[in-house]
């Protein structure tokens, strides 16, 4: 009985901390409509800040707490709202999920940058671990009492704030209807600042309270520990504070009781990781049981994302150009750059699964690396000989097919219970799956033995923590050669990319696009949404599994802790959305940024630090910035341009198809530079810099030399403001320029001299020329 009371008290204390963290999530979501995936990272950063003030600099505990919770944390929250989150208005739900994920990665990178020294850091419980109060035979620490009392006070204060004050009512009203709140005297800007400041403060309180229970401070585990509060927040449906508090206490008790059971002497082998997986299991179950929002009906979605659909001719053409470019630049590369580029292309293949699922179908998957890891394990265990691939010298084509098949089945099993989920809830479900796989599958380093109906089997996933993945050896080609391997990956990427374009242009692809736009309309028209959603999940998972095998072969020795890490999965998702989630080229951009660009930038700054030692402090700082913070900063920029880098490239360089002489001159000049680099007349770095400069200057040069190529390609909207034609009259009023522009495009009867000038093609009327596309 004493043990039961002890573990109950421990569970209530832990649940109280989860309640504080979950309350911050609820406040932020209920008052801004944005789920703050970076909430755990804010708690982690605050815990490190408290350690820096309290133990490194020796400040008194009360002063360190005040500065951490009441100064640093609200400043971070206000900074995020002013600089980043306010730009999310008018973006799709995908972008609203991606940007907070990028903020999470940015804060983690910033913490790694600041506290990079490998020293032990510990936050001691308040008043020390020995200060206790006796409750019968049970000892309760002061820290546990403080956690429970603070949680109760915060719950009451938040309830009073949100429902009993003008500021709280305004904060909730802004989410429902920003314009109506303003008409009734609300101040949305001030309400948003207050909600993010309060949410960050609550994350800081949770981080400071939970960090003494974790032992030595560690960035990723501490972030995931605060992430456990997601389950409690979802239990309260991200709006109900009392239910959130109850869910947090239940979660804390479950974890504590499981510790009690496991300490009683049970040895369940592979179930040892279940303790850290309990919150994710609870999150998944709660997501399945809670009622969901109704299907989105026929409403105009005013999002700023715009994607173009290429023709098959363009797809094949650009695929051939990509292969030629890869062949040419591979001849310039040494072994290390070849390896880096191969890693980027392998990640781009993984990102193609996101283009299909998220870009085409509008479904969220935050577990792409988990499916990739499952595919690699399936190929490794495929019975091509005693011991599977571990004893083989090459990867077989049957291993690739088997991996894609197994991963597709797993994707279907994951999607089957989650078919009723959409948007944020689906993203949280896949995130929970990713953490579960990392804790329960990727951590297994011992041989697992199974007996069923008299049959025995054993599986050795990560013997010693690693899994060796060989490269293929097909058609007499040595893919151990890094140039051949790079070209093989490029061919695979091209074939899958062209296949995805063909799929998007098919009847099936149009059904996916319709489901993305309006599930209710699809259901009304008789489409089987269950079958459609299940099939696209399986196809996407199969591509991820195939990509996982190739990525594992590229890495060679797959590490169970780092290669398929859940945070890497979030990073690839964020960079692919930033690249342009609706484009195959967006997957290429995301993969290259994840695996190549920031590595190359880091190497460049290192080289400059060696060449110019007087400025090594600056170049070392820039190196750290690009390595730790750069990828997240790139993804965060999507808030301002949510269609992605690929879309901006298509919009900016699209007119060049009408300036073929200029493009031909550029190609000849580029080939000349390539020849000089091959002859070692110029270095590879100079070639890369010259190539980047030429690409950036190409549109400006073409516009200067052939302005007529750009004359008929003004931005959507007659006045060039970027408003899509179908939303003129909704996002802004009609004007005279709109009428004249449409008259010209549709070749209607002339209305004055300006029409005749525009028809002639050389008129100077601003913004009246436009290209009408389906």
């Amino acid at each position: 009985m004493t043990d039961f009371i002890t573990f109950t008290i421990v569970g209530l204390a832990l649940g109280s901390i989860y309640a504080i963290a979950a309350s911050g999530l609820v406040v932020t979501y209920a008052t801004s409509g944005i789920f703050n995936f970076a909430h755990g990272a804010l708690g982690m950063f605050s815990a490190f800040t408290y350690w820096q003030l309290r133990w490194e600099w020796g400040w008194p505990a009360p002063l360190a707490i005040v500065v951490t919770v009441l100064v640093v944390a609200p400043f971070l929250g206000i900074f995020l709202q002013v600089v980043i989150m306010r730009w999310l208005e008018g973006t799709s739900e995908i972008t609203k999920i991606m940007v907070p994920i990028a903020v999470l990665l940015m804060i983690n990178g910033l913490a790694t940058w600041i506290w990079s020294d490998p020293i032990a850091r510990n936050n001691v419980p308040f008043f020390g671990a020995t200060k206790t109060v006796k409750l019968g035979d049970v000892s309760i620490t002061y820290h546990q009492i403080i956690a429970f009392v603070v949680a109760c006070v915060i719950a009451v204060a938040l309830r009073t704030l949100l429902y009993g004050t003008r500021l709280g009512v305004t904060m909730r009203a802004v989410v429902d209807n920003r314009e109506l709140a303003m008409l009734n005297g609300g101040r949305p800007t001030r309400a948003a600042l207050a909600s993010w400041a309060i949410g960050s403060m609550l994350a800081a309180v949770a981080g400071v309270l939970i960090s003494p229970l974790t032992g030595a401070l560690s960035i990723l585990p501490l972030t995931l520990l605060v992430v456990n509060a997601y389950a409690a927040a979802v239990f309260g449906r991200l709006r109900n504070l009392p239910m959130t508090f109850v869910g947090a206490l239940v979660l804390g008790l479950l974890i504590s009781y499981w510790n009690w059971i496991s300490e009683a002497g049970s040895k369940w082998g592979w179930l040892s990781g279940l303790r850290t997986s309990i919150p994710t299991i609870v999150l998944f179950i709660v997501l399945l049981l809670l009622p969901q929002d109704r299907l989105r009906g026929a409403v105009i979605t005013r999002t700023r994302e715009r994607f173009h659909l290429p023709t098959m001719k363009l797809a094949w053409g650009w695929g051939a150009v990509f292969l030629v470019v890869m062949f040419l630049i591979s001849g310039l590369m040494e072994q290390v750059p070849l390896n880096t580029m191969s890693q980027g292309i392998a990640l781009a293949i993984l990102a193609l699964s996101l283009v299909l699922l998220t870009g085409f179908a509008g479904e969220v998957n935050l577990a792409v690396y988990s499916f990739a890891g499952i595919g690699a394990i399936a190929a490794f265990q495929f019975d091509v000989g005693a011991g599977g691939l571990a004893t083989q010298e090459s990867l077989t084509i049957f291993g690739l097919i088997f991996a894609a098949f197994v991963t597709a089945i797993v994707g279907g099993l994951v999607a089957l219970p989650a078919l009723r989920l959409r948007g944020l809830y689906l993203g949280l479900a896949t995130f929970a799956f990713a953490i579960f796989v990392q804790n329960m599958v990727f951590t297994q380093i011992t041989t697992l033995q199974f007996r069923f109906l008299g049959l025995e089997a054993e599986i050795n996933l990560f013997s010693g923590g690693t899994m060796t993945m060989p490269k293929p050896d097909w058609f007499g080609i040595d893919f151990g050669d890094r140039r051949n391997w790079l070209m093989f990956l490029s061919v695979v990427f091209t074939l899958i990319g062209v296949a995805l374009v063909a799929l998007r242009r098919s009847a099936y692809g149009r059904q996916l696009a319709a489901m993305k736009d309006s599930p209710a309309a699809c259901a009304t028209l008789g489409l089987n949404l269950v079958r459609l959603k299940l099939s696209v999940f399986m196809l996407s998972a199969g591509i991820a599994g195939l990509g996982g095998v190739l990525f594992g072969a590229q890495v060679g020795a797959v590490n169970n802790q780092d290669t398929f890490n859940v945070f890497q999965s979030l990073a690839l998702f964020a960079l692919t959305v930033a690249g342009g989630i609706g484009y195959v080229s967006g997957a290429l951009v995301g993969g290259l940024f994840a695996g190549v660009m920031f590595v190359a930038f880091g190497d460049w700054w290192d080289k400059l630090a060696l060449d110019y030692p007087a400025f090594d402090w600056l170049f070392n700082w820039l190196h750290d910035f690009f390595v730790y913070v750069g990828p997240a900063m790139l993804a965060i920029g999507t808030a301002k341009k949510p269609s992605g880098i690929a879309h901006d490239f298509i919009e900016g360089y699209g007119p060049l198809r009408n300036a073929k002489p200029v493009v031909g001159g550029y190609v000849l000049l580029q080939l000349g530079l390539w020849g000089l680099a091959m002859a070692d007349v110029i270095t590879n770095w100079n070639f890369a810099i010259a190539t980047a400069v030429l690409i950036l200057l190409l549109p400006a040069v073409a516009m200067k030399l052939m302005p007529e190529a750009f004359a008929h390609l003004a931005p959507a909207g007659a006045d060039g403001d970027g408003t899509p034609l179908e939303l003129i009259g909704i996002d802004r009023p009609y004007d005279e320029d709109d009428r004249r522009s449409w008259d010209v495009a549709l070749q209607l009867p002339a209305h004055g001299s300006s029409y005749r000038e525009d028809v002639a093609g050389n008129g100077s009327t601003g913004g009246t020329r436009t290209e009408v596309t389906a």
Side-chain angles (χ1 to χ4, degrees):
M1 187 63 182
T2 301
D3 288 343
F4 175 76
I5 297 175
T6 300
F7 281 97
T8 299
I9 292 173
V10 171
L12 290 175
L14 182 61
S16 299
I17 299 174
Y18 287 154
I20 296 171
S23 298
L25 276 170
V26 171
V27 168
T28 304
Y29 184 81
T31 58
S32 69
I34 299 171
F35 187 86
N36 186 13
F37 278 90
H39 198 71
L42 287 170
M44 173 276 300
F45 191 88
S46 299
F48 272 84
T49 301
Y50 174 73
W51 174 89
Q52 185 72 32
L53 300 177
R54 177 70 179 93
W55 304 109
E56 183 70 5
W57 293 349
W59 290 20
L63 181 59
I65 293 173
V66 169
V67 172
T68 301
V69 176
L70 300 181
V71 178
V72 176
F75 171 79
L76 286 175
I78 293 173
F79 175 83
L80 292 178
Q81 163 60 21
V82 172
V83 177
I84 300 173
M85 300 303 175
R86 69 187 181 95
W87 293 101
L88 293 179
E89 184 178 355
T91 60
S92 68
E93 192 167 17
I94 302 299
T95 305
K96 289 179 179 177
I97 292 173
M98 185 280 294
V99 170
I101 287 175
V103 173
L104 180 154
L105 299 173
M106 181 187 71
I107 295 174
N108 281 356
L110 191 62
T112 304
W113 187 4
I114 296 173
W115 291 285
S116 58
D117 297 333
I119 61 175
R121 299 180 176 89
N122 297 86
N123 276 335
V124 178
F126 294 142
F127 300 101
T130 59
K131 291 290 186 179
T132 61
V133 174
K134 284 288 187 178
L135 182 63
D137 296 330
V138 178
S139 296
I140 308 174
T141 65
Y142 283 15
H143 193 90
Q144 293 170 335
I145 296 174
I146 290 173
F148 187 77
V149 171
V150 169
C152 294
V153 172
I154 287 176
V156 174
L158 287 178
R159 178 74 181 183
T160 303
L161 171 68
L162 292 177
Y163 293 92
T165 67
R166 179 180 178 85
L167 176 61
V169 172
T170 302
M171 291 163 66
R172 292 185 294 111
V174 167
V175 181
D176 296 331
N177 193 313
R178 183 183 183 89
E179 290 77 13
L180 186 59
M182 294 175 65
L183 287 175
N184 284 276
R187 300 176 63 179
T189 302
R190 186 176 68 174
L193 293 176
S195 66
W196 279 92
I198 293 171
S200 297
M201 290 167 61
L202 294 176
V205 173
V208 171
L209 287 174
I210 205 170
S211 58
L213 309 179
T214 64
L217 294 181
S218 183
I219 292 173
L220 298 184
L222 187 56
T223 300
L224 285 177
L225 201 59
V226 182
V227 162
N228 291 342
Y230 288 4
V234 173
F235 190 80
R237 298 206 66 189
L238 299 175
R239 293 183 181 277
N240 191 318
L241 284 173
M243 291 301 296
T244 298
F245 195 89
V246 172
L249 293 182
V250 171
L251 184 62
L253 289 172
L254 285 175
I255 295 175
S256 183
Y257 290 152
W258 178 262
N259 292 337
W260 180 26
I261 294 173
S262 61
E263 287 183 4
S266 299
K267 296 180 180 179
W268 294 328
W270 67 280
L271 288 177
S272 59
L274 189 60
R275 175 190 177 278
T276 54
S277 302
I278 288 177
T280 60
I281 296 172
V282 172
L283 173 60
F284 197 83
I285 294 174
V286 169
L287 286 169
L288 298 182
L289 295 180
L290 285 181
Q292 302 299 304
D293 297 331
R294 294 180 179 178
L295 289 177
R296 187 175 66 251
V299 297
I300 295 178
T301 305
R302 302 191 195 181
T303 60
R304 292 184 278 133
E305 287 84 346
R306 296 291 180 268
F307 302 117
H308 300 295
L309 180 61
T311 63
M312 290 304 301
K313 181 179 178 181
L314 277 176
W316 282 112
W318 280 111
V321 169
F322 169 69
L323 291 178
V324 170
V325 170
M326 294 305 298
F327 176 77
L328 293 177
I329 66 174
S330 66
L332 299 175
M333 293 180 177
E334 300 296 332
Q335 295 300 305
V336 173
L338 280 170
N339 186 65
T340 303
M341 181 61 75
S342 297
Q343 180 161 310
I345 301 300
L347 290 176
I349 295 173
L350 270 180
L352 285 175
S353 68
L354 295 174
V355 171
L356 171 61
L357 185 64
T358 304
F360 293 172
E363 306 294 337
V364 183
N365 179 17
L366 302 182
V368 61
Y369 264 59
S370 301
F371 290 115
I374 291 171
I377 291 173
F380 183 80
Q381 296 295 330
F382 182 62
D383 190 16
V384 295
L389 282 178
T391 62
Q392 301 302 307
E393 296 181 356
S394 66
L395 176 67
T396 69
I397 191 170
F398 300 105
L400 278 176
I401 296 173
F402 180 74
F405 175 77
V406 169
T407 315
I409 297 300
V410 173
L413 294 176
V414 173
L416 197 58
L419 286 175
R420 59 193 296 272
L421 303 177
R422 298 183 306 279
L424 172 61
Y425 284 167
L426 181 59
L428 288 173
T430 55
F431 186 53
F433 172 74
I435 297 176
F436 177 83
V437 170
Q438 179 169 305
N439 292 337
M440 298 295 295
V441 179
F442 295 162
T443 58
Q444 302 302 324
I445 60 175
T446 59
T447 301
L448 307 179
Q449 296 181 343
F450 299 92
R451 291 191 181 98
F452 182 71
L453 298 178
L455 300 176
E456 296 185 5
E458 65 178 35
I459 297 177
N460 192 335
L461 299 184
F462 293 93
S463 178
T466 59
M467 182 175 64
T468 303
M469 291 293 295
K471 290 182 174 64
D473 184 11
W474 306 338
F475 317 117
I477 301 175
D478 179 19
F479 290 114
D481 180 87
R482 294 188 178 180
R483 285 187 175 85
N484 292 341
W485 177 242
L486 174 59
M487 290 308 303
F488 172 75
L489 292 175
S490 300
V491 169
V492 172
F493 174 84
T494 301
L495 293 177
I496 297 177
V498 172
L500 288 183
V501 174
L503 182 146
R504 175 59 184 84
R505 299 189 66 86
S506 67
Y508 179 77
R510 291 192 290 272
Q511 291 176 12
L512 294 180
M515 181 178 68
K516 177 181 179 181
D517 290 339
S518 178
C522 291
T524 302
L525 293 172
L527 288 181
N528 189 328
L529 294 183
V530 173
R531 184 174 60 188
L532 193 61
K533 193 171 183 179
L534 184 62
S535 63
V536 73
F537 251 98
M538 295 181 69
L539 284 173
S540 174
I543 295 174
L546 175 65
V549 178
L550 297 177
F551 181 66
Q554 161 59 30
V555 174
V558 177
N559 185 282
N560 69 323
Q561 296 290 338
D562 301 325
T563 305
F564 297 111
N565 186 277
V566 62
F567 289 101
Q568 299 293 337
S569 187
L570 297 180
L572 184 63
F573 175 83
L575 289 173
T576 304
V577 175
I581 194 68
Y583 297 103
V584 169
S585 54
L588 180 62
V589 172
L592 291 180
F593 272 113
V596 179
M597 296 302 295
F598 292 101
V599 176
F601 274 125
D603 292 342
W604 187 40
W605 297 121
D606 282 342
K607 182 179 182 299
L608 290 176
L610 293 174
D611 294 342
Y612 304 96
F615 297 97
D616 60 349
W617 59 272
L618 174 62
F619 297 131
N620 289 332
W621 185 91
L622 290 171
H623 168 272
D624 292 342
F625 173 82
F626 274 95
V627 170
Y628 294 122
V629 185
M633 293 293 291
L634 172 71
I636 289 171
T638 307
K640 292 186 178 181
K641 294 186 176 181
S643 297
I645 296 172
H647 180 82
D648 291 342
F649 185 88
I650 292 171
E651 291 287 304
Y653 290 80
L656 294 177
R657 64 178 178 269
N658 299 312
K660 292 181 176 61
V662 177
V663 175
Y666 161 76
V667 172
L668 292 176
L669 182 58
Q670 190 67 62
L671 288 175
L673 288 173
W674 176 80
L676 293 176
M678 287 292 292
D680 292 328
V681 177
I682 61 176
T683 65
N684 289 350
W685 276 111
N686 290 333
F687 171 77
I689 294 172
T691 298
V693 171
L694 287 176
I695 291 175
L696 291 175
L697 293 179
L698 183 59
V701 173
M703 184 177 293
K704 184 71 175 177
L705 297 178
M706 300 184 65
E708 64 276 7
F710 294 79
H712 67 292
L713 292 173
D719 59 0
D721 65 352
T723 304
L725 294 177
E726 68 271 17
L727 292 182
I728 295 176
I730 298 175
D731 283 356
R732 67 168 176 80
Y734 295 102
D735 58 30
E736 183 64 20
D737 286 340
D738 296 326
R739 184 182 63 80
R740 287 189 281 112
S741 175
W742 295 339
D743 285 348
V744 171
L746 298 175
Q747 299 182 5
L748 297 177
H751 294 279
S753 61
S754 63
Y755 169 80
R756 287 187 292 272
E757 290 175 356
D758 290 334
V759 170
N762 297 316
S764 59
T765 304
T768 59
R769 295 174 298 276
T770 187
E771 178 181 59
V772 179
T773 58

